[in-house]
Amino acid sequence: MENQPTIMVTNDDGIDAPGLRALVQVLVSTRRFQVLVCAPDSEKSAMSHSITWREPIAARRVEIEGATAYAIAGTPADCTSLGISKSLFPLIPDLVISGINMGSNCGYHIVYSGTVAGAREAFFNDIPAISVSYNWSGGQSKVENFTLSAEACIPIITAVLVEIKNKTYPLRCFLNIDLPTDVANNKGYKLTKQGKSIYKMGWSQVTSDMQGGKMLSTMTMDMDSTAPIETGALNLSQDHLLFKREVLGGKLDEGDIDDADYKFLQQGYVGIFSLLV
């Protein structure tokens, strides 16, 4: 046990998200790693690299079989920062993994991603890190695909830990992995580059009793949602206007990037590329 590498897991979908739970379960089941979890206590998608500055943040112990886990009242970057600080856990992890996100993180979406920020914060502190995302597709994807995605990542995680042990792992970057929708029948692994894909966003004016789609962590819309817009806590008066984000459509302009991440993801490959910031 003492010689096992330590992996800390975080995410932006929250500590109860199926992607994180599947990743932790697969890591624990290998019996090759000591697993720590330090993740947000609720969904913090699209928080990018925001941090809590003025207020203290609360940490609550959570039972996850085989792991030492805490739910944090903070952002993904907060979770990583606290988890690697030795203030919460008695040791610094050998590797930080952020994910598995419900939705891909390709192209310019990486700028918005709390999942990527969770890994980036470790990178800022010279700790090897990987962000992992699954290309969730409504009506096609199943929760079980998160387990398959985690299993597909084990060879990469193992290879990274070997490099870390041998002191040959480059600390000038961190890795971003995107897994295809049909992960069970993926075409293998591809080294890619960050492309320029992005969902164009707009705004629509809504009323307090209007029902509308829910923005998913994929930065797409779940138009089947029947949940009303939650405005009660806002205590809006009649002179306020209420607006909600909407997706206007996807833009894919890779230009001369032949090995762009989103293109290979759509072709069914597990895409891997390194990020410098």
Side-chain angles (χ1 to χ4, degrees):
M1 187 76 174
E2 292 181 358
N3 295 325
Q4 289 182 329
T6 300
I7 297 175
M8 192 189 83
V9 178
T10 191
N11 72 348
D12 71 355
D13 290 331
I15 198 165
D16 294 319
L20 180 142
R21 292 303 180 110
L23 176 59
V24 172
Q25 189 275 324
V26 168
L27 291 172
V28 170
S29 69
T30 67
R31 301 181 180 227
R32 287 149 49 187
F33 316 115
Q34 181 178 356
V35 182
L36 310 175
V37 180
C38 190
D41 59 4
S42 59
E43 185 172 347
K44 295 293 188 295
S45 296
M47 295 290 287
S48 191
H49 210 104
S50 60
I51 62 172
T52 302
W53 186 252
R54 291 186 173 88
E55 300 83 16
I57 59 176
R60 172 175 53 86
R61 184 70 184 265
V62 174
E63 290 298 323
I64 300 180
E65 186 176 357
T68 303
Y70 285 88
I72 309 300
T75 68
D78 288 335
C79 294
T80 297
S81 179
L82 178 61
I84 65 177
S85 69
K86 295 183 72 173
S87 296
L88 184 64
F89 301 117
L91 74 171
I92 298 173
D94 298 293
L95 176 66
V96 171
I97 304 177
S98 185
I100 297 170
N101 189 61
M102 179 182 280
S104 64
N105 273 304
C106 295
Y108 292 146
H109 289 163
I110 287 170
V111 176
Y112 298 104
S113 172
T115 301
V116 175
R120 189 190 297 115
E121 181 67 23
F123 163 71
F124 285 165
N125 290 275
D126 297 323
I127 297 174
I130 306 172
S131 52
V132 183
S133 303
Y134 166 67
N135 191 31
W136 180 274
S137 178
Q140 185 176 355
S141 296
K142 298 179 180 179
V143 173
E144 292 77 14
N145 288 344
F146 285 118
T147 298
L148 297 175
S149 295
E151 291 171 347
C153 289
I154 290 297
I156 304 171
I157 294 168
T158 301
V160 167
L161 287 167
V162 169
E163 295 284 318
I164 293 170
K165 183 178 180 180
N166 294 336
K167 302 186 185 305
T168 55
Y169 184 80
L171 293 177
R172 300 182 302 275
C173 61
F174 65 100
L175 297 181
N176 184 65
I177 301 174
D178 281 289
L179 298 117
T181 303
D182 188 10
V183 64
N185 298 301
N186 75 80
K187 296 180 179 179
Y189 304 90
K190 279 280 188 181
L191 293 177
T192 67
K193 295 179 181 177
Q194 182 182 356
K196 301 178 181 179
S197 58
I198 191 170
Y199 279 101
K200 289 298 184 180
M201 297 289 181
W203 294 88
S204 59
Q205 187 172 351
V206 297
T207 58
S208 60
D209 60 350
M210 177 182 177
Q211 296 188 349
K214 176 186 177 184
M215 184 71 75
L216 302 177
S217 60
T218 59
M219 297 186 73
T220 57
M221 294 294 290
D222 175 14
M223 296 312 298
D224 294 329
S225 172
T226 57
I229 306 298
E230 297 178 3
T231 59
L234 297 178
N235 194 25
L236 297 174
S237 61
Q238 291 184 348
D239 59 343
H240 284 81
L241 300 177
L242 188 64
F243 294 88
K244 183 174 175 62
R245 280 191 183 272
E246 61 180 0
V247 178
L248 301 179
K251 177 185 177 184
L252 182 61
D253 181 16
E254 304 296 10
D256 57 355
I257 306 177
D258 294 330
D259 47 0
D261 47 9
Y262 187 75
K263 181 177 73 173
F264 280 126
L265 182 65
Q266 293 299 103
Q267 292 176 3
Y269 290 96
V270 178
I272 311 161
F273 68 90
S274 59
L275 285 165
L276 301 178
V277 290

